[in-house]
Amino acid sequence: MDRYAVMGNPIQHSLSPHIHRLFAETSGQSLSYEAMLVAEDGFTRAVDAFFQSGGKGLNVTVPFKEQAWQMATKRSQRAELAGAVNTLSFVDNEICGENTDGVGLVRDILQNHQCQIKGKRILIVGAGGAVRGVLAPILAEEPAELVLANRTVSKAETLATHFQDHGKIQACGFELLDDRPFDLLINGSSASLSGQLPPLPSTCIGPYSGCYDMMYGAKQTVFNTWAAQQGAAKVMDGLGMLVEQAAEAFFIWRQLRPETGPVIKTIRNNL
Ligand code: ATR
C-alpha cells in the first residue's frame, strides 16, 4: 500500500490524516497516511528515512516548511517564490517540493465561497511565512490592487519587493490604511492564535467586503467576529483552505482530484 504522512512538531492536532483518509475512501484509493512527530533537529533524517523505506509523499507543517524547501532537489515556481514547501514527493530519485497553501486558499475563495479576486481591491494582514506562502497564487488571479499591511512595516515592504514582478502589490502599516473599504480582506497574521485583533480601522470593511481568516477553529475567530460586527457581507475561515491545500497535494501524488465539499463539512462537524 502506498505510504504518505505529515511531519511536524507538534503534530497531534493535525487534521491531515483524517482529511487524506476521507479523500482516499471517497475516491476508492488504497493508501495509508500517518501523522509523524519529528524532533526539532531531526527533520532531514526523518524525511530521508521515510523516502528510503518506500514512502511516496509527505506533507510538512510547522516548523519544518523552510527546511523542506531546502531539502527539495526540485521545486515548482510557486514553491520557489513561497520560500517554503508543504508537500514533498519522491519521484525518480528526486525530492520534489511544492507549496499548495496558496492554491488551496484561492480555490476556497473562488470555488467554495464564490468570491472574486480578479479586478478586486484586496487587503492582506500579516507578512510572515503564512502570507508569503500564498502571495503568488493570489497575484496570479490579477487583483486590481493588493495591499499588504503588517505591524512591522519593513517585513511587509520586503515581501512586496520580493513579489513586485508578479502583480500590483504595495506595503503599509495599519495606521496608513485609507478610508476606502476593501473588497476582500484576508487575515494571514497569527494574531488570532492568541485571541488578538490586528488594529485595523473599521473603515476597511464595507457592506460588500468579504473577510477571510486563514485561521479556523470550533468557534468563530476573533477576526471574523470583529469583521461581522463591522458589517462585512461575508466571513470565511481557513478550514476550506486546509482541505483544498490537502486536495492539491493528493492530486500531485495520485493524479486524482478528490471532492472537497463533503470533506469540509465532515471535518467542520468534528472540530
Ligand atoms: P506564520 O508562519 O504564522 O506566518 P510568522 O512568520 O511568525 O508566523 O508571522 C506572524 C505574522 O503575524 C507576522 O506578520 C506578525 O506581525 P510582525 O511581523 O509585526 O511580528 C503577525 N502578528 C502576530 N501577532 C500579531 C498581533 N497581535 N497583531 C498584529 N499582527 C500580529
Side-chain angles (χ1 to χ4, degrees), residues 152-199:
T152 312
V153 182
S154 59
K155 278 167 70 177
E157 284 168 346
T158 303
L159 272 193
T161 306
H162 185 73
F163 285 91
Q164 67 188 358
D165 295 338
H166 297 268
K168 205 169 166 227
I169 178 167
Q170 65 187 84
C172 70
F174 298 123
E175 68 293 346
L176 285 185
L177 289 169
D178 67 25
D179 289 343
R180 278 184 308 150
F182 288 87
D183 298 310
L184 177 64
L185 295 85
I186 300 173
N187 181 25
S189 80
S190 55
S192 296
L193 272 183
S194 47
Q196 290 182 317
L197 266 180

Side-chain angles (χ1 to χ4, degrees), residues 92-254:
D92 298 334
N93 257 355
E94 298 259 23
I95 300 179
C96 306
E98 181 53 279
N99 190 315
T100 65
D101 286 332
V103 185
L105 172 64
V106 166
R107 222 167 259 154
D108 193 38
I109 290 171
L110 298 184
Q111 289 174 15
N112 299 335
H113 294 291
Q114 302 282 307
C115 288
Q116 288 174 5
I117 295 176
K118 192 177 173 71
K120 299 295 180 187
R121 211 171 155 252
I122 297 182
L123 172 68
I124 298 189
V125 179
V131 168
R132 182 171 170 182
V134 301
L135 282 177
I138 289 180
L139 285 168
E141 295 299 319
E142 303 178 341
E145 196 184 337
L146 180 57
V147 177
L148 209 51
N150 196 43
R151 186 173 60 183
T152 312
V153 182
S154 59
K155 278 167 70 177
E157 284 168 346
T158 303
L159 272 193
T161 306
H162 185 73
F163 285 91
Q164 67 188 358
D165 295 338
H166 297 268
K168 205 169 166 227
I169 178 167
Q170 65 187 84
C172 70
F174 298 123
E175 68 293 346
L176 285 185
L177 289 169
D178 67 25
D179 289 343
R180 278 184 308 150
F182 288 87
D183 298 310
L184 177 64
L185 295 85
I186 300 173
N187 181 25
S189 80
S190 55
S192 296
L193 272 183
S194 47
Q196 290 182 317
L197 266 180
L200 293 181
S202 58
T203 46
C204 285
I205 295 183
Y208 302 106
S209 306
C211 291
Y212 194 106
D213 195 340
M214 283 164 60
M215 299 278 165
Y216 60 85
K219 285 196 311 193
Q220 191 173 55
T221 66
V222 281
F223 179 80
N224 278 353
T225 300
W226 171 80
Q229 282 164 357
Q230 308 314 311
K234 186 169 184 142
V235 295
M236 304 158 264
D237 74 8
L239 188 69
M241 171 183 174
L242 175 78
V243 174
E244 293 294 345
Q245 64 76 30
E248 183 68 14
F250 194 90
F251 177 71
I252 289 167
W253 296 329
R254 312 292 301 179

Side-chain angles (χ1 to χ4, degrees), residues 37-82:
L37 177 69
V38 171
E40 298 257 350
D41 61 353
F43 180 70
T44 312
R45 243 176 305 128
V47 172
D48 281 337
F50 182 81
F51 285 136
Q52 270 157 31
S53 67
K56 296 282 181 201
L58 283 172
N59 282 134
V60 180
T61 187
V62 177
F64 299 124
K65 289 185 184 183
E66 285 81 14
Q67 278 186 61
W69 186 90
Q70 280 166 357
M71 263 194 99
T73 54
K74 263 168 94 174
R75 288 187 287 260
S76 69
Q77 201 213 1
R78 63 192 182 196
E80 192 65 40
L81 279 164

